């Protein structure tokens, strides 16, 4: 199994494998161009997003600055507004449905490291070696259609947010949120059902 296949499967993988470095370098070049554009340069923004992202729907707006790891693992539907200063660590797939609002300073993290130190350290690692010292895994994030993700929200690896849900500002979402829920807090909890 290649490092890329391990990553997609959510297994431990070498995030410094050449294929990932190539993906990052390509994304950095496109992000540098994108983040240098003026606010009203919509056509140029759309063209770069089509090169950078895995999929971009119609009527997509991504505010500046925008930061991502690879770009190629981000799939965005139609009528999506992503406000300024968002960070998408797309080591695994990030899927955003239609008619979604993502406020400023939202962070989506698909990658993580084991909690236990004995599992986190790369087996056989020795100081001074050229190997990366810790293990990494990545799990997909899905944001359903009709969602609103409030300012400063952090969404952790493997989380799915159901259609029509609203996540309150400053929340840390570490578990799935069902459809049509208003949820907030750290950790994020369901407050009530909406869209009834």
């Amino acid at each position: 199994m290649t490092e890329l296949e391990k990553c997609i499967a959510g297994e431990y993988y070498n995030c410094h494998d050449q294929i990932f470095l190539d993906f990052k370098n390509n994304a950095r070049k496109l992000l540098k161009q994108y983040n240098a554009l003026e606010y009203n340069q919509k056509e140029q923004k759309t063209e770069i997003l089509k090169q950078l992202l895995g999929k971009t729907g119609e009527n997509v707006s991504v505010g500046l600055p925008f930061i991502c790891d690879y770009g190629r693992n981000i799939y965005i539907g139609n009528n999506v507004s992503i406000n300024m200063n968002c960070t998408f660590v797309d080591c695994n797939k990030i899927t955003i449905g239609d008619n979604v609002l993502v406020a400023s300073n939202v962070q989506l993290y698909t990658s993580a490291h084991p909690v236990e130190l004995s599992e986190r350290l790369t087996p056989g690692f020795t100081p001074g070696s050229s190997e990366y010292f810790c293990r990494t895994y990545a799990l997909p994030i899905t944001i359903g259609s009709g969602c609103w993700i409030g300012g400063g929200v952090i969404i952790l690896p493997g989380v799915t947010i159901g259609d029509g849900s609203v996540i309150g500002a400053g929340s840390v979402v570490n578990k799935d949120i069902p459809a049509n829920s208003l949820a907030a807090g750290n950790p994020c909890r369901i407050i009530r059902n909406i869209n009834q």
Side-chain angles (χ1 to χ4, degrees), residues 135-192:
R135 294 166 123 185
T136 304
Y137 66 92
L139 300 171
I141 290 173
T142 301
I143 298 172
S145 293
C147 289
W148 173 21
I149 310 301
V153 167
I154 297 171
I155 300 177
L156 298 179
V159 167
T160 294
I161 297 174
D163 293 348
S165 288
V166 174
I167 308 299
S171 298
V172 177
V173 189
N174 63 351
K175 293 182 181 166
D176 291 353
I177 302 296
N180 300 309
S181 299
L182 172 62
N186 181 4
C188 190
R189 293 184 178 93
I190 298 166
I191 296 170
R192 64 181 170 90

Coordinates of all heavy atoms in Angstrom, one line a residue, residues 135-192:
R135 N 4.0 9.9 14.1 CA 3.0 9.3 13.2 C 1.9 10.2 13.0 O 1.4 10.9 13.9 CB 2.5 8.0 13.7 CG 3.6 6.9 13.8 CD 3.1 5.8 14.7 NE 3.2 4.5 14.0 CZ 2.8 3.4 14.4 NH1 2.2 3.3 15.6 NH2 2.9 2.3 13.7
T136 N 1.3 10.2 11.8 CA 0.2 11.0 11.4 C -0.9 10.1 10.7 O -0.6 9.2 10.1 CB 0.7 12.1 10.3 OG1 1.7 12.8 10.9 CG2 -0.5 13.0 9.9
Y137 N -2.1 10.5 11.0 CA -3.3 9.9 10.3 C -4.2 11.0 9.9 O -4.2 12.1 10.4 CB -4.0 8.8 11.1 CG -4.7 9.3 12.3 CD1 -6.0 9.7 12.3 CD2 -4.0 9.4 13.6 CE1 -6.7 10.1 13.4 CE2 -4.7 9.9 14.7 CZ -6.0 10.3 14.6 OH -6.6 10.7 15.7
A138 N -5.1 10.7 9.0 CA -6.1 11.7 8.5 C -7.5 11.1 8.3 O -7.5 10.0 7.7 CB -5.6 12.4 7.2
L139 N -8.5 11.8 8.7 CA -9.9 11.3 8.5 C -10.7 12.4 7.8 O -10.5 13.6 8.0 CB -10.5 11.0 9.8 CG -9.8 9.9 10.6 CD1 -10.4 9.8 12.0 CD2 -9.9 8.5 9.9
P140 N -11.7 12.1 6.9 CA -12.4 13.1 6.2 C -13.3 13.9 7.1 O -13.8 13.5 8.1 CB -13.2 12.2 5.2 CG -13.3 10.9 5.8 CD -12.1 10.7 6.6
I141 N -13.7 15.1 6.6 CA -14.6 16.0 7.2 C -15.7 16.3 6.1 O -15.4 16.5 5.0 CB -14.0 17.3 7.6 CG1 -13.0 17.1 8.8 CG2 -15.1 18.4 7.9 CD1 -12.2 18.3 9.2
T142 N -17.0 16.2 6.6 CA -18.1 16.5 5.7 C -19.0 17.5 6.3 O -19.4 17.4 7.5 CB -18.9 15.2 5.4 OG1 -18.1 14.2 4.8 CG2 -20.1 15.5 4.5
I143 N -19.3 18.6 5.6 CA -20.3 19.6 6.0 C -21.4 19.5 5.0 O -21.2 19.7 3.8 CB -19.6 21.0 6.0 CG1 -18.5 21.0 7.0 CG2 -20.7 22.1 6.3 CD1 -17.6 22.3 6.9
G144 N -22.6 19.2 5.5 CA -23.8 19.0 4.6 C -24.3 20.3 4.0 O -23.9 21.4 4.4
S145 N -25.2 20.1 3.1 CA -25.9 21.3 2.4 C -26.7 22.1 3.4 O -27.3 21.5 4.4 CB -26.8 20.8 1.3 OG -26.0 20.2 0.3
G146 N -26.7 23.4 3.2 CA -27.5 24.3 4.0 C -27.0 24.6 5.4 O -27.7 25.1 6.3
C147 N -25.7 24.3 5.6 CA -25.1 24.5 7.0 C -24.6 26.0 7.1 O -24.2 26.6 6.1 CB -24.0 23.6 7.2 SG -24.5 21.9 7.5
W148 N -24.5 26.4 8.3 CA -23.8 27.7 8.6 C -22.8 27.4 9.7 O -23.2 26.9 10.8 CB -24.8 28.7 9.0 CG -24.2 30.0 9.5 CD1 -23.0 30.5 9.3 CD2 -24.9 31.0 10.4 NE1 -22.8 31.7 9.9 CE2 -24.0 32.1 10.6 CE3 -26.1 31.1 10.9 CZ2 -24.3 33.2 11.4 CZ3 -26.4 32.2 11.7 CH2 -25.5 33.2 11.9
I149 N -21.5 27.6 9.4 CA -20.4 27.4 10.4 C -20.0 28.7 10.9 O -19.5 29.5 10.1 CB -19.3 26.6 9.7 CG1 -19.7 25.4 9.0 CG2 -18.2 26.2 10.8 CD1 -20.5 24.3 9.8
G150 N -20.2 29.0 12.2 CA -19.9 30.3 12.8 C -18.4 30.6 12.9 O -17.6 29.7 12.7
G151 N -18.1 31.9 13.2 CA -16.8 32.4 13.3 C -15.9 31.6 14.3 O -16.4 31.3 15.4
G152 N -14.7 31.3 13.9 CA -13.7 30.7 14.8 C -14.0 29.2 15.1 O -13.3 28.7 16.0
V153 N -14.9 28.6 14.4 CA -15.2 27.2 14.7 C -14.0 26.3 14.3 O -13.4 26.5 13.2 CB -16.5 26.7 14.0 CG1 -16.6 25.2 14.0 CG2 -17.7 27.4 14.6
I154 N -13.7 25.3 15.1 CA -12.7 24.3 14.7 C -13.4 22.9 14.6 O -14.1 22.5 15.5 CB -11.6 24.2 15.8 CG1 -10.9 25.5 16.0 CG2 -10.7 23.0 15.6 CD1 -10.0 25.6 17.2
I155 N -13.2 22.3 13.4 CA -13.8 21.0 13.2 C -12.7 20.0 13.1 O -11.7 20.2 12.3 CB -14.7 21.0 11.9 CG1 -15.8 22.0 12.0 CG2 -15.2 19.6 11.6 CD1 -16.7 22.2 10.8
L156 N -12.8 18.9 13.9 CA -11.7 18.0 14.0 C -11.8 16.8 13.0 O -12.9 16.6 12.4 CB -11.6 17.5 15.4 CG -11.3 18.6 16.4 CD1 -11.2 18.1 17.9 CD2 -10.0 19.3 16.1
P157 N -10.8 15.9 12.9 CA -10.8 14.8 11.9 C -12.0 13.9 12.1 O -12.4 13.6 13.2 CB -9.5 14.1 12.2 CG -8.6 15.1 12.8 CD -9.5 16.0 13.6
G158 N -12.6 13.5 11.0 CA -13.6 12.5 11.0 C -15.0 13.0 11.2 O -16.0 12.2 11.3
V159 N -15.2 14.3 11.4 CA -16.5 14.8 11.8 C -17.4 15.0 10.5 O -16.9 15.5 9.5 CB -16.4 16.1 12.5 CG1 -17.7 16.9 12.7 CG2 -15.8 15.9 13.9
T160 N -18.7 14.7 10.7 CA -19.7 15.0 9.7 C -20.7 15.9 10.4 O -21.2 15.6 11.5 CB -20.4 13.7 9.2 OG1 -19.4 12.9 8.5 CG2 -21.6 14.0 8.3
I161 N -21.1 17.0 9.7 CA -22.1 17.9 10.1 C -23.3 17.7 9.2 O -23.1 18.0 8.0 CB -21.6 19.3 10.2 CG1 -20.5 19.4 11.2 CG2 -22.7 20.3 10.6 CD1 -19.8 20.7 11.3
G162 N -24.4 17.3 9.7 CA -25.6 17.0 8.9 C -26.2 18.3 8.2 O -26.0 19.4 8.6
D163 N -27.0 18.0 7.1 CA -27.6 19.1 6.4 C -28.4 20.0 7.3 O -29.1 19.6 8.2 CB -28.6 18.5 5.3 CG -27.9 17.7 4.2 OD1 -26.7 17.8 4.1 OD2 -28.6 17.0 3.5
G164 N -28.3 21.3 7.0 CA -29.2 22.3 7.6 C -28.7 22.7 9.0 O -29.4 23.4 9.7
S165 N -27.6 22.2 9.5 CA -27.2 22.5 10.9 C -26.4 23.8 11.0 O -25.8 24.3 10.0 CB -26.3 21.4 11.4 OG -27.1 20.2 11.7
V166 N -26.5 24.4 12.1 CA -25.7 25.6 12.5 C -24.8 25.4 13.6 O -25.2 24.8 14.6 CB -26.7 26.8 12.8 CG1 -25.9 28.0 13.3 CG2 -27.6 27.1 11.6
I167 N -23.5 25.7 13.4 CA -22.5 25.6 14.5 C -22.2 26.9 15.0 O -21.7 27.8 14.3 CB -21.3 24.8 14.0 CG1 -21.6 23.5 13.3 CG2 -20.3 24.6 15.1 CD1 -22.3 22.5 14.1
G168 N -22.4 27.2 16.3 CA -22.2 28.5 16.9 C -20.7 28.9 17.0 O -19.8 28.0 17.0
A169 N -20.5 30.2 16.9 CA -19.1 30.7 16.9 C -18.3 30.2 18.0 O -18.7 30.0 19.2 CB -19.2 32.2 16.9
G170 N -17.0 29.9 17.7 CA -16.0 29.5 18.7 C -16.1 28.0 19.1 O -15.4 27.6 20.0
S171 N -17.0 27.2 18.5 CA -17.2 25.8 18.9 C -16.0 25.0 18.4 O -15.4 25.3 17.4 CB -18.5 25.3 18.3 OG -19.6 26.0 18.8
V172 N -15.8 23.9 19.2 CA -14.8 22.9 18.8 C -15.6 21.6 18.6 O -16.2 21.0 19.5 CB -13.7 22.7 19.8 CG1 -12.8 21.5 19.4 CG2 -12.9 23.9 20.1
V173 N -15.7 21.2 17.3 CA -16.6 20.1 16.9 C -15.7 18.8 16.8 O -14.9 18.7 15.9 CB -17.3 20.3 15.6 CG1 -18.4 19.3 15.3 CG2 -17.9 21.7 15.6
N174 N -15.9 17.9 17.8 CA -15.1 16.7 17.9 C -15.9 15.4 17.6 O -15.4 14.3 17.6 CB -14.3 16.6 19.2 CG -15.3 16.5 20.4 OD1 -16.5 16.7 20.3 ND2 -14.7 16.2 21.5
K175 N -17.3 15.6 17.4 CA -18.1 14.5 17.1 C -19.2 14.9 16.1 O -19.4 16.1 15.9 CB -18.9 14.0 18.4 CG -18.0 13.4 19.4 CD -18.7 13.0 20.6 CE -17.7 12.4 21.6 NZ -18.3 12.2 22.9
D176 N -19.7 13.9 15.4 CA -20.8 14.2 14.4 C -21.9 15.0 15.0 O -22.3 14.8 16.1 CB -21.3 12.9 13.8 CG -20.3 12.2 12.9 OD1 -19.2 12.7 12.7 OD2 -20.6 11.0 12.5
I177 N -22.5 15.9 14.1 CA -23.7 16.7 14.5 C -24.7 16.3 13.5 O -24.5 16.4 12.3 CB -23.4 18.2 14.4 CG1 -22.2 18.6 15.3 CG2 -24.7 19.0 14.7 CD1 -22.5 18.4 16.8
P178 N -25.9 15.8 14.0 CA -27.0 15.4 13.1 C -27.6 16.5 12.3 O -27.4 17.7 12.7 CB -28.0 14.7 14.0 CG -27.7 15.1 15.4 CD -26.3 15.6 15.4
A179 N -28.3 16.2 11.3 CA -28.9 17.2 10.4 C -29.9 18.1 11.3 O -30.4 17.6 12.3 CB -29.7 16.5 9.3
N180 N -30.1 19.3 10.8 CA -31.1 20.3 11.4 C -30.9 20.4 12.9 O -31.8 20.4 13.7 CB -32.5 19.8 11.1 CG -32.7 19.7 9.6 OD1 -32.4 20.7 8.9 ND2 -33.2 18.6 9.1
S181 N -29.6 20.7 13.3 CA -29.3 20.9 14.7 C -28.6 22.3 14.9 O -27.8 22.7 14.0 CB -28.3 19.8 15.2 OG -28.9 18.6 15.1
L182 N -28.9 22.9 16.0 CA -28.2 24.1 16.4 C -27.3 23.6 17.5 O -27.7 23.0 18.5 CB -29.1 25.2 17.0 CG -28.4 26.4 17.6 CD1 -27.5 27.1 16.6 CD2 -29.4 27.3 18.3
A183 N -25.9 23.7 17.3 CA -25.0 23.2 18.2 C -23.9 24.2 18.5 O -23.5 25.0 17.6 CB -24.4 21.9 17.6
A184 N -23.3 24.2 19.7 CA -22.3 25.1 20.0 C -21.6 24.6 21.3 O -22.0 23.7 22.0 CB -22.9 26.5 20.3
G185 N -20.4 25.2 21.5 CA -19.6 25.0 22.7 C -18.3 24.2 22.5 O -18.0 23.8 21.3
N186 N -17.6 24.0 23.5 CA -16.3 23.3 23.5 C -16.3 22.3 24.7 O -16.1 22.7 25.8 CB -15.2 24.3 23.6 CG -13.8 23.6 23.6 OD1 -13.7 22.4 23.4 ND2 -12.8 24.3 23.8
P187 N -16.6 21.0 24.4 CA -16.8 20.5 23.1 C -18.2 20.8 22.6 O -19.1 21.1 23.4 CB -16.7 19.0 23.3 CG -17.1 18.8 24.7 CD -16.5 20.0 25.4
C188 N -18.4 20.8 21.3 CA -19.7 21.2 20.7 C -20.8 20.2 21.1 O -20.6 19.0 21.0 CB -19.5 21.2 19.2 SG -20.9 22.0 18.3
R189 N -22.0 20.8 21.5 CA -23.1 20.0 21.9 C -24.4 20.5 21.2 O -24.5 21.7 21.0 CB -23.3 20.1 23.4 CG -22.2 19.4 24.2 CD -22.5 19.5 25.7 NE -21.5 18.8 26.4 CZ -20.4 19.4 27.0 NH1 -20.3 20.7 26.8 NH2 -19.5 18.7 27.7
I190 N -25.3 19.6 21.0 CA -26.6 20.0 20.4 C -27.4 20.8 21.4 O -27.6 20.4 22.5 CB -27.4 18.8 19.9 CG1 -26.6 18.0 18.8 CG2 -28.7 19.2 19.4 CD1 -27.1 16.7 18.5
I191 N -27.9 22.0 20.9 CA -28.7 22.8 21.8 C -30.2 22.5 21.5 O -31.0 22.4 22.5 CB -28.4 24.3 21.6 CG1 -26.9 24.6 22.0 CG2 -29.4 25.2 22.3 CD1 -26.4 26.0 21.5
R192 N -30.5 22.5 20.3 CA -31.9 22.2 19.9 C -32.0 21.8 18.4 O -31.1 22.1 17.7 CB -32.9 23.3 20.2 CG -32.6 24.6 19.5 CD -33.6 25.7 19.9 NE -33.2 27.0 19.3 CZ -33.6 27.5 18.2 NH1 -34.4 26.7 17.4 NH2 -33.3 28.7 17.7

